């Protein structure tokens, strides 16, 4: 099997890396770290999941962020380059109606209890009413930094779906967002070239509750913490600012999906030492100071409330 990689980065990612000063290191690391197949550890990981996050785009390249649920094994790694995913249990958004063979999607597996996460960018090669088959184009792991641990229990109201759409954030929406310690970004870059680094993507953002703020204009502001230096998401946003944010209300079992226009605001921050990589054993606590060089500004365009769209709720452990 030919497992040679196509170029790791597209033009937006390269521009971000150059601006942040990570480009030289990424040129060396990308081909070593980003694979076109799943190592056995990742195959086992994805098959153990009970939820998987997915980013996909419509014909206008507007990206959606969603999550699929199932018992362990609902994601099957049939080979080291292919997954079959049962898509029957979504947030009530009937995801298969929006997908087609040939679509390039992003997948994120995350286990909050153990703070593990791995990502896949792939292409749909087959689809039916119950599942999709995905060929792996890019596969890589992410460090546990900024993942906020959670333990889940079943949401007994899951499936009693209702959906509402509005153009602006409500007061309840704003409270959910500003109290959140986690959200997900669906983004996309596709210029028509059939390269592995094109297509939709989904990524995790985490921090202490309150790390997302809302300004008087109703825009969401998020400091971009130092990460792995890849700039997958920001590279996409640089080329295509229309994205989607997914906030999960794990307490109530609801989900909030926001279509946004994005802006990257740079700050000049004097730093001692390199910001290219961080120690993945670091955790957020009162003694940790996270320096930022960028702020993400998201302007809501469309807000969708998905009531009872989450199959799990957070267990409030004493």
């Amino acid at each position: 099997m030919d497992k040679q990689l196509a170029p790791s980065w597209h033009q937006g990612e390269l521009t971000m890396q150059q601006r942040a000063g990570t480009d030289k290191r990424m040129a060396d690391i990308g081909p070593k770290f980003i694979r076109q197949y799943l190592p056995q550890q990742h195959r086992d990981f994805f098959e153990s999941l009970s939820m998987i996050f997915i980013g996909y785009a419509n014909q206008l390249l507007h990206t959606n962020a969603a999550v699929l649920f199932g018992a362990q094994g609902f994601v099957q790694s049939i080979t080291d380059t292919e997954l079959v995913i049962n898509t029957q249990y979504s947030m009530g958004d009937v995801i298969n109606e929006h997908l087609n063979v040939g679509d390039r999607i992003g997948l994120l597996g995350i286990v909050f209890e153990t703070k593990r996460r791995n990502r896949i960018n792939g292409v749909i090669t087959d689809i039916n009413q119950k599942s999709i088959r995905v060929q792996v184009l890019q596969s890589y792991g992410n460090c546990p930094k900024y993942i906020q641990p959670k333990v889940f229990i079943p949401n007994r109201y899951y499936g009693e779906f209702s959906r509402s759409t509005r153009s602006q954030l409500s007061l309840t929406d704003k409270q959910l967002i500003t109290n959140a310690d986690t959200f997900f970004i669906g983004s996309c870059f596709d210029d028509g070239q059939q390269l592995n680094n094109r297509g939709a993507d989904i990524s995790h953002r985490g921090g202490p509750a309150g790390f997302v703020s809302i300004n008087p204009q109703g825009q969401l502001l998020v400091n971009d913490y130092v990460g792995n230096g890849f700039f997958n998401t920001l590279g996409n946003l640089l080329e295509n600012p229309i994205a989607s944010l997914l906030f999960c209300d794990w307490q109530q079992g609801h989900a909030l999906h926001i279509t946004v226009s994005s802006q990257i605001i740079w700050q000049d921050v004097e730093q001692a030492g390199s910001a290219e990589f961080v120690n993945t054993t670091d955790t957020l606590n009162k003694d940790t100071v996270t320096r930022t060089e960028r702020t993400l500004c998201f302007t809501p365009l469309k807000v969708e409330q998905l009531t009872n769209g989450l199959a799990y709720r957070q267990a409030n452990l004493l």
Side-chain angles (χ1 to χ4, degrees):
M1 182 184 300
D2 181 6
K3 295 180 180 176
Q4 295 298 313
L5 288 180
S8 303
W9 318 113
H10 64 64
Q11 62 207 45
E13 293 164 331
L14 291 171
T15 299
M16 289 297 304
Q17 291 168 11
Q18 291 164 0
R19 178 79 185 264
T22 68
D23 53 317
K24 293 181 179 178
R25 193 164 189 178
M26 291 303 104
D28 178 59
I29 285 177
K32 298 177 181 177
F33 196 75
I34 298 180
R35 314 171 186 88
Q36 203 171 326
Y37 66 96
L38 295 170
Q40 187 61 49
Q41 185 182 52
H42 287 205
R43 297 181 69 183
D44 296 340
F45 171 82
F46 280 102
E47 290 195 334
S48 73
L49 297 175
S50 58
M51 71 177 85
I52 189 168
F53 293 84
I54 178 172
Y56 61 97
N58 61 24
Q59 293 180 346
L60 299 175
L61 296 184
H62 292 178
T63 313
N64 294 291
V67 57
L68 297 168
F69 305 99
Q72 288 188 351
F74 89 105
V75 179
Q76 299 178 48
S77 175
I78 56 175
T79 72
D80 66 352
T81 60
E82 288 183 295
L83 295 177
V84 173
I85 304 172
N86 186 323
T87 56
Q88 294 182 90
Y89 300 101
S90 65
M91 297 188 298
D93 45 0
V94 194
I95 195 170
N96 276 25
E97 293 183 0
H98 307 288
L99 300 177
N100 297 284
V101 170
D103 285 357
R104 290 167 173 251
I105 64 173
L107 297 168
L108 168 66
I110 183 167
V111 179
F112 289 95
E113 295 94 327
T114 59
K115 302 179 68 171
R116 289 187 64 196
R117 56 178 165 167
N118 292 303
R119 287 166 68 173
I120 292 174
N121 295 323
V123 58
I124 297 176
T125 58
D126 190 31
I127 188 168
N128 58 47
Q129 291 182 339
K130 295 183 177 180
S131 65
I132 57 174
R133 183 186 294 255
V134 180
Q135 178 186 342
V136 175
L137 299 178
Q138 292 185 320
S139 164
Y140 52 100
N142 279 161
C143 76
K145 194 173 179 68
Y146 310 125
I147 297 176
Q148 307 303 305
K150 304 178 192 302
V151 176
F152 295 104
I153 58 175
N155 175 15
R156 62 176 177 169
Y157 300 108
Y158 174 68
E160 298 178 12
F161 301 130
S162 65
R163 187 171 186 166
S164 60
T165 303
R166 45 192 173 271
S167 59
Q168 295 182 330
L169 296 170
S170 68
L171 177 60
T172 301
D173 297 338
K174 292 178 180 179
Q175 290 173 339
L176 173 64
I177 291 167
T178 55
N179 288 325
D181 60 14
T182 302
F183 73 98
F184 302 87
I185 306 178
S187 61
C188 179
F189 169 63
D190 192 346
D191 57 2
Q193 297 189 56
Q194 297 300 303
L195 298 177
N196 289 6
N197 53 27
R198 265 56 170 182
D201 188 30
I202 189 162
S203 63
H204 158 274
R205 287 290 188 275
F211 82 113
V212 183
S213 62
I214 300 176
N215 67 18
Q217 292 73 42
Q219 297 168 310
L220 284 66
L221 302 176
V222 186
N223 286 335
D224 185 48
Y225 295 151
V226 173
N228 57 19
F230 288 8
F231 294 107
N232 303 118
T233 299
L234 271 64
N236 287 346
L237 298 180
L238 190 65
E239 297 295 325
N240 176 14
I242 304 301
S244 63
L245 311 181
L246 179 65
F247 287 86
C248 296
D249 182 351
W250 297 115
Q251 298 296 321
Q252 301 297 324
H254 310 320
L256 189 68
H257 182 275
I258 311 170
T259 302
V260 297
S261 177
S262 312
Q263 181 183 4
I264 303 169
I265 303 171
W266 288 83
Q267 299 110 24
D268 293 325
V269 179
E270 183 177 347
Q271 293 181 320
S274 171
E276 294 180 7
F277 276 88
V278 294
N279 183 347
T280 58
T281 62
D282 288 348
T283 57
L284 287 171
N285 56 55
K286 63 182 181 180
D287 300 319
T288 300
V289 177
T290 302
R291 304 293 297 276
T292 65
E293 293 182 330
R294 298 156 298 277
T295 297
L296 303 181
C297 178
F298 298 113
T299 302
L301 304 175
K302 179 181 178 182
V303 182
E304 296 175 277
Q305 170 78 36
L306 301 163
T307 302
N308 296 322
L310 302 179
Y312 303 104
R313 297 172 59 184
Q314 187 170 348
N316 295 316
L317 303 178
L318 297 179

